[in-house]
Amino acid sequence: MNASLVPLGRRGDGGAMNADTTVLWRVNNDSSRLTSPRALIRVFTGPGTLEELTARYERVQGVERDMWFTYPAARLALAVVGGFLLIEGEPADVARFREVDGTLLVDSAGAHLERLTAEGGEVLDPLHAVPTGAGFTARHPDGTIVEYVEHRPDPRGR
């Protein structure tokens, strides 16, 4: 994994990171109590720029990030600041993520999948494990493509 994907001062695991290690830091690690989805606008950035971009979004919104994690399988690092999901990676690695219009953090990905397919949504990427819990990507009947993600504690309770 690109060394630039290690967050400055935010690793939180105290150990060395390698290409197979997920680094996960969140203020709230369980979205099951959300009463409505949290919409996240996707912003893409190149390798080595996530910390600078995160700091800028923190200043602009007047809030601190509340999530930072790596997604080794996709070769990405991600941060969430307010209503923005900041995604760092090489252009080739982020290309497939650019096709998605946005991300919704939800209480239950399975429940949303069921309701969406009942309304005619098309599943593009089935429900699967992600570093933060589980998610899927679907095309709404109007053509909007959305990633739905639920967060759950990892095996270490983070």
Side-chain angles (χ1 to χ4, degrees), residues 8-9 35 44 46 50 65 73 78 94 96 115 127 141 147-148 152-153:
L8 302 174
T35 57
F44 297 92
L50 185 59
R65 76 188 89 190
L78 303 94
V94 301
R96 72 181 181 104
R115 290 194 298 267
L127 187 60
E147 174 194 37
Y148 288 79
R152 299 295 183 265

Side-chain angles (χ1 to χ4, degrees), residues 3-4 7 23 35 45 49 58 66 83 91 97 107 109 111 118 127-128 130 134 139 146 149-150 155 157:
S4 69
V23 177
T35 57
T45 191
T49 61
E58 288 174 329
D66 62 349
F97 294 91
D107 59 344
L127 187 60
H128 62 281
V130 296
R139 178 179 288 113
V146 178
V149 179
E150 67 180 30

Side-chain angles (χ1 to χ4, degrees), residues 5 7 17-18 20 23 28-29 38 44 59 66 69 80 92 102 107 110 112 126-127 139-140 143 146-148 157:
L5 299 184
M17 185 172 127
N18 63 49
D20 297 325
V23 177
N28 182 355
N29 65 0
R38 179 179 178 187
F44 297 92
R59 289 189 305 270
D66 62 349
F69 56 98
V80 176
D107 59 344
H112 282 268
L127 187 60
R139 178 179 288 113
H140 287 231
V146 178
E147 174 194 37
Y148 288 79

